[in-house]
C-alpha cells in the first residue's frame, strides 16, 4: 500500500508523526479500516462508508453520547474514544471526498472471528450483555436512528420485493432458490414485528452489530477488553443483539463462505453464548426476552439473508463484494444457518 498518500490523513489526527506501517484491519464489509503505526504509537484509521451512513456527524454524535453514558456507569471495559483532529472535531473530510475518523488501537487484543470456542463465546457474550446493561437506563427515545428502520424486517421485506420485481432477469433467475427458501421465514418476520409493536419485546438501546468482530479479547487471558463499533447503537430489541452473536459465533464457516454443504453449528458455543449473555443481563431481562433468545437468533439470521439477497438483486450497492455472486453466496450461507438454528429453537 502506498502509505505516503495517506500521510495527510494521519497528520490530521497525529501531526508530525511519520507513517511506518499501514495495513488493512478487520473483515468489515461497510467501512475500510486500517492499522497505522508510527513513532512507537498505533491508531485505527477508518474511511467511513457515507453511502450507508449518510449522516456521519449524527453517527459520531450518537457514539459520543453513548460513550459519555458508559463512562458515568459501572461499565467495566475500555472505551475506544475517537481521536480529535487538529481542528478539534472527530471527523476529517479529505479533498477526495472521503470521510475519516481515528480511534486508539488496543494492543494485545483480538476479535474472536473465525470459529470461536465456547470459552471465547461465553466471555464475548458477557461483554455484550454488560454493554446493554450499562445502557438499560438510557431513554430509548433520546437516541436517533443512524440507519432508519435498521431492524424493521417488514419494511426490509417490502423493499426486497420491490427490488426483486425490478431486478436484472439473470440475477433474478440465479436467486430463485434463495428467494423460495426465504419465504419460509416470512411468518416469523410478521410475528417479531407484532411482538415489537405490542411492547412484549421492550424497546431498548442496543448495539445492533454484535458480531464476533466487534468485541476485543485479551490475547493472554481471553477475557473481554472492549466492545467496539458503536455506529448502529440506537433503539432496538435485545433479540437482535443475541441473534447477531449466534449467527457469527456459532457456524463453523464465516458468513462469506460459499461452501454451505460444509456448514455446521457448534451447539456448545451456542450454549456458551446463552450462558454468558444471561449471566450478564439475566437480572434485568424480561421473561419473554430470556425465553426467546434462540427465536431472535433465527429472526436476525434470516433478516441478514434477506439483506444480502436484496443487495445481490440490486446490483451489489450496499456490501462490498470481491466477485459477482458473493452476496448471493452470503444469502445462501445465512439461510442455511437460519434453518439449522430454527431446528435447534424448536421450529
Amino acid at each position: 500500500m502506498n502509505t505516503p498518500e495517506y500521510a495527510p490523513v494521519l497528520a490530521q489526527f497525529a501531526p508530525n508523526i511519520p507513517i511506518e506501517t499501514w495495513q488493512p484491519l478487520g473483515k468489515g464489509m461497510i467501512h475500510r479500516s486500517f492499522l497505522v503505526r508510527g513513532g512507537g504509537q498505533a491508531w485505527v484509521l477508518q474511511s467511513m462508508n457515507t453511502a450507508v451512513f449518510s449522516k456521519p456527524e449524527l453517527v459520531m454524535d450518537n457514539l459520543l453520547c453513548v460513550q459519555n453514558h458508559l463512562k458515568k456507569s459501572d461499565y467495566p471495559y475500555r472505551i475506544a474514544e475517537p481521536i480529535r483532529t487538529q481542528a478539534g472535531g472527530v471527523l476529517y473530510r479529505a479533498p477526495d471526498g472521503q470521510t475519516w475518523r481515528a480511534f486508539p488501537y488496543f494492543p494485545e487484543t483480538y476479535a474472536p472471528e473465525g470459529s470461536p470456542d465456547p470459552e471465547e463465546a461465553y466471555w464475548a457474550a458477557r461483554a455484550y450483555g454488560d454493554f446493554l446493561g450499562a445502557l438499560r437506563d438510557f431513554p430509548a427515545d433520546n437516541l436517533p436512528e443512524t440507519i432508519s428502520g435498521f431492524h424493521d424486517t417488514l419494511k426490509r421485506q417490502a423493499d426486497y420485493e420491490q427490488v426483486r420485481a425490478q431486478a436484472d432477469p439473470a440475477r433474478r433467475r440465479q436467486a430463485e432458490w434463495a428467494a423460495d427458501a426465504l419465504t419460509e421465514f416470512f411468518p416469523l418476520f410478521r410475528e417479531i414485528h407484532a411482538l415489537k409493536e405490542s411492547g412484549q419485546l421492550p424497546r431498548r438501546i442496543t448495539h445492533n452489530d454484535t458480531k464476533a468482530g466487534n468485541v476485543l479479547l485479551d490475547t493472554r487471558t481471553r477475557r473481554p477488553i472492549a466492545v467496539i463499533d458503536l455506529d448502529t447503537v440506537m433503539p432496538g430489541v435485545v433479540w437482535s443483539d443475541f441473534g447477531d452473536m449466534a449467527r457469527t459465533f456459532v457456524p463453523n464457516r464465516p458468513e462469506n463462505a460459499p461452501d454451505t454443504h460444509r456448514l455446521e453449528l457448534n451447539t456448545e458455543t451456542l450454549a456458551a453464548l446463552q450462558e454468558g449473555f444471561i449471566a450478564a443481563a439475566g437480572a434485568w431481562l424480561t421473561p419473554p426476552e430470556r425465553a426467546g433468545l434462540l427465536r431472535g437468533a433465527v429472526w436476525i439470521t434470516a433478516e441478514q439473508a434477506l439483506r444480502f439477497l436484496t443487495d445481490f438483486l440490486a446490483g451489489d450497492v450496499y456490501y462490498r463484494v470481491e466477485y459477482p455472486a458473493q452476496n448471493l453466496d452470503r444469502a445462501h450461507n445465512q439461510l442455511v444457518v437460519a434453518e439449522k438454528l430454527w431446528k435447534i429453537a424448536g421450529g
Side-chain angles (χ1 to χ4, degrees):
M1 180 171 292
N2 183 18
T3 56
E5 66 180 283
Y6 293 102
V9 176
L10 178 62
Q12 297 298 317
F13 300 96
N16 304 317
I17 296 180
I19 296 176
E20 295 169 1
T21 61
W22 180 297
Q23 64 192 67
L25 182 66
K27 301 177 182 178
M29 293 183 288
I30 305 299
H31 305 307
R32 294 186 302 128
S33 301
F34 304 91
L35 172 58
V36 185
R37 298 183 186 273
Q41 303 179 61
W43 305 264
V44 176
L45 261 63
Q46 197 170 65
S47 173
M48 295 186 70
N49 186 333
T50 53
V52 174
F53 293 95
S54 60
K55 298 179 180 179
E57 291 83 6
L58 175 63
V59 172
M60 298 308 289
D61 286 346
N62 268 19
L63 181 148
L64 291 170
C65 185
V66 167
Q67 290 184 339
N68 285 336
H69 186 90
L70 292 175
K71 286 187 288 186
K72 295 175 183 177
S73 72
D74 58 356
Y75 183 63
Y77 308 111
R78 296 181 67 179
I79 297 172
E81 298 184 63
I83 298 169
R84 297 279 175 174
T85 67
Q86 294 186 74
V90 291
L91 294 174
Y92 166 60
R93 294 187 184 276
D96 63 1
Q98 293 188 72
T99 299
W100 291 87
R101 59 185 177 177
F103 297 95
Y105 173 69
F106 295 154
E108 299 182 351
T109 64
Y110 70 102
E113 296 177 288
S115 295
D117 62 36
E119 182 184 0
E120 291 172 312
Y122 173 85
W123 287 105
R126 284 201 67 148
Y128 280 129
D130 286 334
F131 178 85
L132 296 181
L135 294 170
R136 67 185 183 276
D137 59 346
F138 193 114
D141 292 334
N142 288 6
L143 204 63
E145 293 185 331
T146 53
I147 299 179
S148 179
F150 189 60
H151 283 313
D152 184 344
T153 317
L154 293 191
K155 180 181 182 302
R156 287 193 179 278
Q157 182 182 333
D159 292 344
Y160 153 76
E161 289 169 349
Q162 181 177 1
V163 167
R164 187 184 179 205
Q166 300 171 352
D168 173 76
R171 287 203 172 212
R172 195 163 58 241
R173 285 192 297 272
Q174 278 183 276
E176 282 181 1
W177 176 88
D180 289 344
L182 190 61
T183 60
E184 298 297 318
F185 298 99
F186 288 174
L188 178 63
F189 293 166
R190 293 191 292 271
E191 175 192 330
I192 299 294
H193 182 82
L195 290 172
K196 291 195 289 184
E197 288 292 298
S198 69
Q200 293 181 67
L201 278 179
R203 192 166 181 259
R204 304 184 184 278
I205 296 298
T206 49
H207 186 285
N208 293 301
D209 195 12
T210 52
K211 60 189 179 185
N214 284 338
V215 60
L216 299 180
L217 306 182
D218 188 295
T219 54
R220 294 161 299 181
T221 67
R222 306 212 303 171
R223 297 295 188 267
I225 295 296
V227 171
I228 60 173
D229 194 352
L230 309 188
D231 291 350
T232 54
V233 175
M234 54 186 170
V237 296
V238 165
W239 283 7
S240 69
D241 275 9
F242 185 81
D244 262 334
M245 281 189 279
R247 74 176 189 84
T248 58
F249 279 82
V250 176
N252 67 340
R253 316 293 293 167
E255 66 184 13
N256 279 324
D259 51 346
T260 54
H261 63 283
R262 298 172 58 190
L263 199 160
E264 299 294 340
L265 304 187
N266 188 324
T267 54
E268 291 184 10
T269 299
L270 182 59
L273 285 176
Q274 290 178 280
E275 183 183 354
F277 193 66
I278 294 297
W284 54 266
L285 291 176
T286 66
E289 285 176 311
R290 287 195 299 272
L293 291 177
L294 286 179
R295 206 165 188 82
V298 178
W299 158 50
I300 214 66
T301 306
E303 183 193 86
Q304 188 62 56
L306 172 69
R307 294 172 63 187
F308 284 142
L309 187 57
T310 302
D311 201 32
F312 172 76
L313 291 169
D316 308 315
V317 296
Y318 188 95
Y319 296 108
R320 290 202 307 273
V321 295
E322 297 172 356
Y323 59 91
Q326 188 168 20
N327 271 322
L328 182 57
D329 286 342
R330 289 165 173 162
H332 285 167
N333 178 298
Q334 293 296 278
L335 284 166
V336 172
V337 174
E339 289 167 357
K340 290 179 180 294
L341 286 170
W342 194 236
K343 290 179 181 178
I344 295 172

